[in-house]
Amino acid sequence: MRIVRFWLPGKGIRMGVVRNKNKNDMVVDLTNLNPKVFRSLQSMVREASSRKIGLEKLILESLEENASDGYGYDELDRPPEANRPYLMIPFRPPEVWGAGVTYMRSTEAREVETKAKGVYAKVYEALRPEIFFKATARRCVGPNEPIYIRSDSRWNAPEPELALILGKDSNIIGYTIGNDVSSRDIEGENPLYLPQAKIYKGCCALGPSIVTAEGIGDPRNLEVACRIFRKGMLVFEGKTSTSRLKRSFDELIDYLCRDNPLPFGTVFLTGTGIVPPDDFSLEADDLVEITIQGIGCLRNPVRKARPRKV
Ligand code: DO4
Ligand code: MG
């Protein structure tokens, strides 16, 4: 089951669920069915856990009581404009954390870009994973909103990642797609520059939907694909599978949570297994598409940040 959040002119922010009707994906307005329960991901999880049922059951019960046609998914999947309905970031995460070097491809690419040879190869094999702070809600964007490249960086890449959404006991309540947009030259110069390579405005895209833990199938066997378009032409295409992730989610979450209380709705990016070739860099006006089986396609245009006037 795919849960979305969308903007409806005159009504505001709505929670919705994607249903397939006559081969068309339609978004049913859950907020319209029960505004109190379906106000946000948090209110939905709260209601489901107070009734000791799963999110899917909560939604299905409401749909049974109130049949409704909804809005065409493709019509909502477009850039935000106040007077037309559009998909929003599925929720505003208080914190986003990232795991790094969890796929061999990421390790290899970083060993090439870095001046600190051996650092990444060691962490790939080490007991303790790499975990870093990535973003807050205000640095995140949703579907069709621009992701940014830093004004002081020349070598940038998208990082298509399966994102875990954590509940109040750091249990996985759902999955979404994350783009851990990163500056390769800044990180490559010195690994201590990692926060600057990772954290800035528009550094993280999330969406387009949340798939519940009950609905994802096997999260360790999902196809992840990335395509980058420049002036309408495909300039990069890559694929991987979450089966190539070296560490288990339990192991990653265990390290993330050690002595580190997390707020409800923390997002944990599980690392990238797709890195474009070393001679490739994102440019302004590129379009990045990331697809994860069952979750959908997260599409974002690229903008270059302007240097701050001093
Ligand atoms: O070591 C830096 C970050 C690695 C990362 O973000 C990834 O592997 O996805
Ligand atoms: Mg990453």
Side-chain angles (χ1 to χ4, degrees):
M1 191 173 275
R2 296 166 62 198
I3 299 165
V4 295
R5 189 161 159 262
F6 65 105
W7 173 259
L8 204 52
K11 292 202 162 170
I13 300 171
R14 326 296 287 173
M15 296 304 295
V17 65
V18 184
R19 312 233 74 198
N20 196 275
K21 286 193 183 159
N22 307 324
K23 297 195 178 152
N24 290 318
D25 278 343
M26 303 297 291
V27 175
V28 177
D29 183 349
L30 291 171
T31 310
N32 192 38
L33 303 183
N34 187 338
K36 214 167 135 227
V37 170
F38 297 110
R39 201 178 58 243
S40 64
L41 178 64
Q42 189 160 10
S43 65
M44 289 163 64
V45 171
R46 203 182 299 123
E47 176 72 11
S49 63
S50 80
R51 291 177 50 198
K52 297 194 172 34
I53 57 171
L55 269 180
E56 299 230 336
K57 183 143 195 251
L58 179 78
I59 294 170
L60 284 173
E61 279 181 5
S62 299
L63 289 177
E64 271 164 26
E65 286 164 21
N66 309 272
S68 161
D69 277 351
Y71 304 85
Y73 179 89
D74 290 345
E75 279 159 46
L76 296 184
D77 190 12
R78 62 180 168 209
E81 258 182 67
N83 58 358
R84 298 202 307 187
Y86 62 86
L87 288 181
M88 302 177 77
I89 190 165
F91 66 105
R92 287 177 49 80
E95 295 181 5
V96 180
W97 293 78
V101 198
T102 49
Y103 290 79
M104 183 45 96
R105 173 70 189 119
S106 175
T107 313
E108 287 166 354
R110 289 185 154 84
E111 279 297 332
V112 171
E113 82 197 13
T114 191
K115 292 183 178 155
K117 298 291 175 207
V119 166
Y120 298 93
K122 267 191 201 144
V123 88
Y124 183 74
E125 297 297 343
L127 207 57
R128 184 186 288 275
E130 180 199 2
I131 292 178
F132 56 91
F133 189 77
K134 171 64 186 174
T136 48
R138 59 198 287 267
R139 296 178 173 88
C140 292
V141 301
N144 304 301
E145 292 186 300
I147 47 174
Y148 274 79
I149 48 187
R150 288 180 64 115
S151 61
D152 58 356
S153 171
R154 289 167 183 278
W155 188 19
N156 293 273
E159 293 193 3
E161 308 192 10
L162 179 67
L164 315 179
I165 304 163
L166 304 181
K168 88 173 168 26
D169 303 317
S170 301
N171 52 316
I172 302 176
I173 53 177
Y175 299 83
T176 190
I177 301 173
N179 187 349
D180 171 21
V181 192
S182 304
S183 296
R184 295 188 68 184
D185 51 350
I186 294 180
E187 182 185 341
E189 178 66 30
N190 189 319
L192 293 181
Y193 294 151
L194 189 74
Q196 296 175 73
K198 294 287 189 184
I199 309 168
Y200 46 91
K201 92 168 170 185
C203 65
C204 181
L206 296 170
S209 69
I210 299 166
V211 176
T212 57
E214 312 135 88
I216 195 78
D218 180 0
R220 294 300 308 256
N221 195 16
L222 300 175
E223 196 175 280
V224 183
C226 178
R227 299 198 298 170
I228 304 174
F229 296 90
R230 187 163 294 159
K231 297 191 173 83
M233 305 273 286
L234 183 67
V235 288
F236 170 74
E237 189 168 24
K239 265 197 184 134
T240 191
S241 160
T242 55
S243 62
R244 296 198 179 167
L245 216 153
K246 184 161 186 273
R247 300 178 188 263
S248 70
F249 296 149
D250 282 350
E251 179 189 354
L252 293 173
I253 293 170
D254 175 45
Y255 275 97
L256 173 65
C257 295
R258 284 191 193 180
D259 307 319
N260 184 25
L262 297 169
F264 172 93
T266 292
V267 168
F268 194 15
L269 307 174
T270 55
T272 187
I274 302 174
V275 184
D278 297 336
D279 60 359
F280 179 91
S281 180
L282 284 178
E283 286 181 9
D285 300 328
D286 285 354
L287 182 73
V288 179
E289 266 188 20
I290 303 173
T291 308
I292 299 187
Q293 199 184 333
I295 305 178
C297 178
L298 175 63
R299 214 172 274 114
N300 298 95
V302 178
R303 301 273 177 273
K304 176 115 181 160
R306 289 214 200 110
R308 200 164 67 96
K309 285 196 191 107
V310 278

